[in-house]
Amino acid sequence: MQDAALHGAEVPSREAILDAATALMARLGYAGTSISKISAASGSPASSIYWHFGNKDGIYLAVLRRARQYLVDSLPGIPAGDTVEERLTAFLDGAAAAFEQHPHDLRLLLDLGMLEQGTGVAAIAELGQYRLALRQWATDSLGHVFGLADRPAVADEIARFMLSVVGGTAIARWFDGPVASLPVQQLRVALLALARHHGLPVDEGRP
């Protein structure tokens, strides 16, 4: 957070409050984050927080929406390459970069938030929209990697597996810190094995 308000120059901006709330909710979850903690972390009086967001549910929803936008915008496009190996490398490199760039956002969007009691309906709907967008990205990207334009069900299955690994790694990172990075090499082996299981031509050099 670079807002001058954090150094006492002025009342923190809406974005500075969201920065503080994001860090707290990524670390403590929805239930463990309070208005008073956000106030202390951002240097903003509670009245200013209520003015911007209404209540804690409003803050949580704003945090989720911003996290979704940041993360979705950072996802790589359709991977380039002439072979399966080249396209898969491009895809995994891009996915790993997005994971490292947005660990807080992944914690917020892929964690146990939907299971926490007290989470508002709008926040749960936002999580659902994010998951749909992420699944569509993974399905489109991996469908292109393995040439699955005519086998959407297989592309969806491979994408679901990929996202389960990403989600598990995001939660592991919450407990273990930066040491828990996306297991790119293991994921490569697993994705290729899953493709072979479905009879896809994935030998090195195959288009």
Side-chain angles (χ1 to χ4, degrees):
M1 292 179 289
Q2 301 299 319
D3 197 291
L6 297 181
H7 303 287
E10 59 184 45
V11 175
S13 68
R14 185 179 188 277
E15 289 300 304
I17 295 170
L18 282 177
D19 286 344
T22 296
L24 287 168
M25 289 179 174
R27 189 173 78 251
L28 305 175
Y30 174 85
T33 301
S34 64
I35 296 292
S36 62
K37 288 178 181 177
I38 296 171
S39 176
S42 67
S44 177
S47 59
S48 178
I49 297 172
Y50 284 117
W51 186 84
H52 280 295
F53 302 102
N55 54 31
K56 193 170 85 166
D57 279 354
I59 299 173
Y60 189 43
L61 182 59
V63 164
L64 290 176
R65 284 176 173 164
R66 192 179 69 159
R68 176 167 70 95
Q69 192 63 51
Y70 282 176
L71 187 54
V72 170
D73 285 350
S74 77
L75 294 174
I78 295 299
D82 296 327
T83 67
V84 169
E85 284 285 346
E86 290 174 353
R87 294 191 295 271
L88 184 58
T89 295
F91 170 75
L92 290 173
D93 286 349
F99 185 93
E100 292 302 321
Q101 186 179 357
H102 299 284
H104 284 336
D105 297 341
L106 280 162
R107 161 68 181 131
L108 287 162
L109 293 164
L110 289 170
D111 71 352
L112 307 178
M114 291 183 71
L115 304 180
E116 291 193 52
Q117 293 185 355
T119 302
V121 173
I124 291 177
E126 178 65 25
L127 286 166
Q129 289 300 311
Y130 164 74
R131 288 167 184 255
L132 286 175
L134 191 61
R135 181 175 158 194
Q136 188 63 58
W137 163 77
T139 300
D140 291 345
S141 297
L142 289 167
H144 178 74
V145 166
F146 293 112
L148 292 168
D150 60 342
R151 300 181 69 181
V154 175
D156 183 66
E157 178 185 332
I158 295 175
R160 283 174 179 267
F161 171 77
M162 162 72 184
L163 294 179
S164 70
V165 174
V166 174
T169 306
I171 294 173
R173 188 160 191 151
W174 180 44
F175 288 101
D176 302 333
V179 68
S181 58
L182 195 65
V184 172
Q185 293 306 317
Q186 295 91 330
L187 191 52
R188 178 194 303 277
V189 171
L191 290 172
L192 288 170
L194 189 55
R196 291 191 185 97
H197 171 73
H198 285 286
L200 302 177
V202 297
D203 293 333
E204 186 172 358
R206 292 294 296 268

